[in-house]
Amino acid sequence: MIYADCNATFPMTTTTCSDIFSLEHNIPLANPNSIHQAGRHAQDVLETSRRAITRMLGAHSAQLIFTSGASESILLTLFNLSRRLGTQQRLLTSAAEHPAVREAIKLWFEPDQVCYLSYKSTGELDFDHLEENILTESIGAIMLHAAHNESGILQNIQRLSELKKRHSLLLALDTTQWIGKIPFDFQSSQADFAVGSGHKFGALPGIGFLLARDMNAVLPLQKAGGQEFGKRGGTINVLGAYSMRVALEERCQDMNNLEDQRNAHQSFEQQLLSDHPFLTIVGQNCSRLPGTTLLLTDKISGALIQSQLDKQGVCVSTGSACSDRIKHNSHLLDQLQIQEESKQNVVRISFIPNQIVKEAPTVLATLSIIINQYK
């Protein structure tokens, strides 16, 4: 089987599984708040993991709290942004954010407190429109994806950080798809908040994090026994935190051949379009994650291609994994004004980065047979 749906969930490697198994059978992982031997061991595992993760992400250990995943971290981020902005300033975001962002905004902001950015036909955010909104719409904070979950298009974080400094804004980044695939440095990003989820880069499901530049200013959504600096109540998933550390260490190693990954992905797309010029790749000329291809398949149903690939042992999705079982149009395709009849003709291929070189030729050959059969 070839798994090319890592933007949905990044599969755990045998190394990560082995490390977790070894840890679990060493000393029982008790509640890290307990003061007995097993509790102290759990606390040590938790804090060692926190230090290792923040070191890899260019942050300080006191800037990270563990959560259940990116959705919780996003909820906590937007709750804090709403409290910091009050009623006089507005939030700037895009209409093509992940559902976790869009739904959390509805909880904490009134509709007239939110401004939505325009997209260029290329799939990129319109930075001219962004700055225009900052100057005219009483913007106090920006919340945007760093890498889009469907298209893999990357935001210009450096330009966002410059805008943040120039206009004294709060900046929150959804780095869920970015982290583990390409390098990220929290300090240099100038972000006030960044969120991530372990299962997106090979950790256990059910563990995520929030990075906050000033953790002292973070207000908790849930209070309990004072865990996580008093910012997130509830017993911490120690095994999950450890798995996130191990997985991120593996992903950092994978980034040593990032150029090979990019070249293999580019060759895959170039050959695909050469063989089938009627296809379209969203964001083809944009800076994107290595390995992510959002393919518009002309008049061929994306669900049909997905099912046929599945029969041949190739796993892909028809867009965001969150919508595979509940069919609705991509918000990104809505923003790009893709014709209504074409919005169901989409396939997202997201290779495991360090497998692109080996697996891309097989996926290309299999996909080409299916396209030729149904075009």
Side-chain angles (χ1 to χ4, degrees):
M1 183 183 78
I2 292 178
Y3 184 80
D5 195 22
C6 82
N7 284 17
T9 288
F10 200 117
M12 294 177 65
T13 67
T14 54
T15 301
T16 300
C17 291
S18 176
D19 278 9
I20 294 171
F21 181 82
S22 297
L23 176 71
E24 196 173 16
H25 287 77
N26 183 10
I27 300 175
L29 286 179
N31 189 318
N33 281 358
S34 300
I35 61 174
H36 49 58
Q37 179 183 357
R40 295 196 306 274
H41 172 60
Q43 179 69 10
D44 181 61
V45 170
L46 185 67
E47 295 309 319
T48 301
S49 298
R50 192 192 312 272
R51 289 193 298 271
I53 291 166
T54 51
R55 184 172 61 250
M56 289 182 279
L57 298 180
H60 302 302
S61 58
Q63 291 178 314
L64 181 144
I65 61 170
F66 291 110
T67 65
S68 61
S71 292
E72 181 190 338
S73 299
I74 287 166
L75 195 66
L76 182 55
T77 296
L78 284 161
F79 168 71
N80 274 272
L81 289 180
S82 71
R83 296 305 183 266
R84 299 267 290 269
L85 294 183
T87 59
Q88 301 304 311
Q89 292 182 299
R90 305 173 78 189
L91 175 72
L92 188 62
T93 187
S94 89
E97 296 300 306
H98 190 276
V101 174
R102 299 197 309 270
E103 294 304 315
I105 285 173
K106 293 177 186 177
L107 281 176
W108 306 125
F109 291 87
E110 296 297 328
D112 62 359
Q113 287 182 283
V114 185
C115 291
Y116 292 94
L117 293 168
S118 300
Y119 277 80
K120 296 180 179 179
S121 59
T122 58
E124 298 169 292
L125 279 169
D126 188 336
F127 267 83
D128 292 334
H129 185 226
L130 190 156
E131 188 143 28
E132 178 186 326
N133 271 268
I134 292 172
L135 293 171
T136 62
E137 299 294 340
S138 301
I139 300 300
I142 299 173
M143 173 81 191
L144 290 171
H145 56 266
H148 196 267
N149 61 307
E150 294 177 69
S151 66
I153 293 174
L154 303 174
Q155 295 304 330
N156 189 330
I157 291 181
Q158 182 178 352
R159 193 166 176 186
L160 284 172
S161 68
E162 290 168 356
L163 288 170
K164 167 203 160 64
K165 288 188 290 185
R166 188 184 315 146
H167 300 285
S168 300
L169 304 172
L170 294 169
L171 175 61
L173 296 174
D174 178 1
T175 55
T176 306
Q177 291 294 343
W178 182 299
I179 288 175
K181 298 184 179 106
I182 52 179
F184 177 73
D185 187 279
F186 182 62
Q187 300 303 337
S188 64
S189 75
Q190 298 296 316
D192 295 283
F193 300 95
V195 305
S197 193
H199 80 101
K200 297 296 187 180
F201 51 85
L204 287 167
I207 186 71
F209 62 82
L210 170 66
L211 287 170
R213 189 158 298 275
D214 181 7
M215 191 62 73
N216 290 327
V218 174
L219 298 173
L221 261 176
Q222 58 189 55
K223 296 183 179 180
Q227 298 92 342
E228 293 303 279
F229 314 115
K231 306 302 180 182
R232 194 267 185 184
T235 302
I236 296 300
N237 179 356
V238 178
L239 203 59
Y242 179 74
S243 76
M244 193 154 63
R245 169 199 171 176
V246 175
L248 192 55
E249 287 172 342
E250 284 192 89
R251 300 293 78 74
C252 288
Q253 287 294 317
D254 293 344
M255 291 177 205
N256 290 331
N257 68 343
L258 195 56
E259 194 60 31
D260 291 340
Q261 296 169 24
R262 293 189 189 280
N263 290 337
H265 185 223
Q266 185 178 39
S267 297
F268 165 80
E269 292 189 336
Q270 287 175 342
Q271 190 61 54
L272 184 62
L273 294 181
S274 176
D275 294 343
H276 311 286
F278 54 88
L279 300 178
T280 302
I281 293 172
V282 176
Q284 179 184 353
N285 297 316
C286 301
S287 179
R288 283 179 291 135
L289 291 171
T292 299
T293 298
L294 186 62
L295 189 65
L296 296 179
T297 57
D298 194 46
K299 294 180 172 58
I300 312 172
S301 162
L304 174 62
I305 291 179
Q306 180 192 38
S307 66
Q308 293 301 310
L309 282 171
D310 189 43
K311 290 177 182 178
Q312 300 303 316
V314 179
C315 300
V316 300
S317 69
T318 55
S320 169
C322 299
S323 62
D324 250 6
R325 294 184 184 274
I326 305 173
K327 297 302 178 186
H328 57 71
N329 287 339
S330 158
H331 287 269
L332 177 62
L333 298 185
D334 288 342
Q335 294 303 305
L336 300 183
Q337 299 182 338
I338 302 298
Q339 292 183 352
E340 200 64 35
E341 59 269 22
S342 300
K343 290 179 181 177
Q344 299 303 321
N345 303 334
V346 59
V347 170
R348 183 186 68 183
I349 302 165
S350 50
F351 290 100
I352 299 171
N354 66 354
Q355 298 295 315
I356 299 173
V357 176
K358 180 176 70 174
E359 295 179 345
T362 303
V363 174
L364 177 64
T366 308
L367 184 58
S368 291
I369 291 171
I370 294 168
I371 290 171
N372 286 331
Q373 181 179 355
Y374 290 100
K375 70 178 180 181

